[in-house]
Amino acid sequence: METVLLSDSEADLIKAAELIKNGDIVGIPTETVYGLGADASNEAAVRNIFAAKGRPADNPLIVHLADFSDAVNYTKAVPELAYKLAEQFCPGPLTMVLPKNDSIPMVTSGGLETVGIRVPSHPVMHRIIQLSGCPIAAPSANTSGYPSPTSASHVMKDMTGKIAAVVDGGESEFGVESTVIAIETESRVRILRPGCVTREMLLEFCNEVIIDHAILNELEAGETAASPGMKYKHYSPKADIIMIEGELDGFISFVSKHDPENTYSLIFDGDEAVFPYRHMTYGGNSSEQAHLLFAKLRELDEIGAEKVFVRAPSKDGVGLAVYNRLIRAAGFEVIRV
Ligand code: TXA
Ligand code: MG
């Protein structure tokens, strides 16, 4: 299949929407990461998304809507708290898991009775949803297991020959995927995947925000995941990633004893002045780290890095999202120095 690169012109967005209406898959920009979009109600199209990514069939897709008020068309019940959160965070990087109705096929929900609903804020994504008139199912547009794409060229790299088109809407603003939450009661939510809508931000609207155990811990054999995505290896470049927790002095001394000629380090911007070995930087604060992380992991593969020591980010605020992606990229291998 030929994969066409489209621009963000209205004419090209109309083309992208037509492809989606016809059951094709299109790579689409969002404010978090790029998605692989198809009509969420078209089972054959959704099956093709799973095939293009090589994604396990039990890992559900998020359904993207132009406006949160459309959620009633795809769900059985929308709690009051969901409306309150939507008022604050939609459009934006928040996905709410709600009980689905029959308009969402089981292939889309990975066999679950729930569906993740998200209203993206990226104007290109928003326009494509409007023009297509479809609820758009879209997982991140990477090959399953590989770091998510934050630019059209990342999507072209993973998906050329597998999907109809990619729309270039520039670099993704946030750089990590949306915060996924389950609404457990009118005053309690559970974060299933951390993102740029943080625990602190959610706490303004409810009494209790639980960080699901699977966010920072490897699942035990037989343990079920509240979010199926958490049980799979994720975000991993080809390079072996090892996360090092501790101060810069300890990090430098660790690297000095572990083959610095043949390894790379992924460090903070502020470390660069004194760090003496081969390295790349990934920003100076949590938001910058979120924005840069996946692009840097992909870049490390491109330069042929085989082993990479990463300075562990903070777990506060948006940092929790960065830490969650890195600990998975590292296969939960963390060394404390
Ligand atoms: O920012 C994002 O969310 C991006 C953009 C494209 O919107 N999408 C994205 O989709 O990251 P994906 O499929 O790569 O990740 C969705 C995550 C998976 O871990 C999945 O298991 C979880 O959300 N998820 C989706 N629907 C769910 C549901 N009904 N119940 C529990 N977890 C769900
Ligand atoms: Mg993904």
Side-chain angles (χ1 to χ4, degrees):
M1 176 189 294
E2 194 202 345
T3 303
V4 186
L5 184 60
L6 298 172
S7 75
D8 60 0
S9 69
E10 179 73 1
D12 273 6
L13 301 192
I14 291 170
K15 278 185 209 160
E18 287 301 319
L19 286 167
I20 287 172
K21 274 198 268 187
N22 290 331
D24 281 309
I25 306 175
V26 179
I28 330 178
T30 88
E31 71 278 18
T32 56
V33 300
Y34 274 67
L36 279 187
D39 178 355
S41 60
N42 180 331
E43 294 190 27
V46 169
R47 279 204 185 87
N48 288 335
I49 294 182
F50 282 90
K53 275 184 71 84
R55 178 176 177 119
D58 68 350
N59 196 0
L61 305 185
I62 292 170
V63 173
H64 300 72
L65 305 175
D67 196 288
F68 191 75
S69 61
D70 299 335
V72 290
N73 300 323
Y74 307 102
T75 57
K76 280 192 177 140
V78 181
E80 268 314 304
L81 181 55
Y83 284 111
K84 255 201 320 198
L85 294 173
E87 208 173 291
Q88 187 69 22
F89 301 113
C90 298
L94 180 69
T95 298
M96 293 188 247
V97 173
L98 300 170
K100 77 169 198 73
N101 72 17
D102 292 341
S103 316
I104 300 295
M106 279 294 188
V107 263
T108 305
S109 69
L112 297 177
E113 291 296 343
T114 55
V115 60
I117 298 284
R118 168 156 129 76
V119 181
S121 63
H122 195 299
V124 169
M125 176 65 159
H126 188 259
R127 188 71 185 136
I128 293 172
I129 302 172
Q130 273 184 329
L131 288 167
S132 70
C134 302
I136 296 187
S140 51
N142 51 294
T143 300
S144 200
Y146 205 60
S148 295
T150 54
S151 71
S153 68
H154 293 160
V155 184
M156 288 300 278
K157 194 138 201 230
D158 284 19
M159 293 297 152
T160 293
K162 298 181 173 170
I163 62 174
V166 176
V167 180
D168 190 346
E171 246 177 53
S172 296
E173 178 191 346
F174 292 112
V176 290
E177 306 86 342
S178 62
T179 304
V180 179
I181 60 167
I183 297 175
E184 297 191 330
T185 70
E186 284 295 347
S187 61
R188 186 174 77 228
V189 308
R190 177 179 293 269
I191 299 183
L192 304 178
R193 179 179 69 183
C196 289
V197 171
T198 63
R199 173 166 190 273
E200 293 73 18
M201 289 158 80
L202 293 165
L203 270 173
E204 303 269 319
F205 301 89
C206 48
N207 296 336
E208 205 182 343
V209 177
I210 298 166
I211 307 273
D212 195 75
H213 177 76
I215 284 175
L216 292 176
N217 300 284
E218 199 165 10
L219 286 178
E220 309 281 327
E223 193 181 348
T224 53
S227 177
M230 287 296 168
K231 71 183 180 209
Y232 295 108
K233 189 172 161 70
H234 247 128
Y235 315 115
S236 300
K238 292 182 208 97
D240 188 14
I241 302 286
I242 297 134
M243 196 147 66
I244 314 287
E245 203 144 19
E247 298 303 317
L248 179 59
D249 297 358
F251 185 86
I252 294 175
S253 128
F254 178 88
V255 175
S256 74
K257 293 179 202 123
H258 290 83
D259 204 8
E261 314 301 291
N262 295 303
T263 57
Y264 278 88
S265 294
L266 189 57
I267 59 176
F268 307 150
D269 285 358
D271 302 343
E272 220 182 2
V274 294
F275 191 74
Y277 306 115
R278 286 206 303 196
H279 65 273
M280 267 189 205
T281 59
Y282 75 119
N285 59 48
S286 297
S287 296
E288 287 173 12
Q289 289 169 354
H291 178 73
L292 289 171
L293 177 66
F294 289 140
K296 293 294 177 180
L297 292 179
R298 283 175 175 260
E299 224 177 298
L300 283 160
D301 270 355
E302 259 157 40
I303 61 174
E306 285 175 5
K307 191 172 225 176
V308 181
F309 300 121
V310 184
R311 268 205 86 190
S314 148
K315 289 179 208 154
D316 295 334
V318 173
L320 184 65
V322 181
Y323 196 100
N324 164 267
R325 304 319 187 265
L326 266 171
I327 202 173
R328 288 184 154 65
F332 292 90
E333 191 174 353
V334 183
I335 295 168
R336 288 183 179 78
V337 294

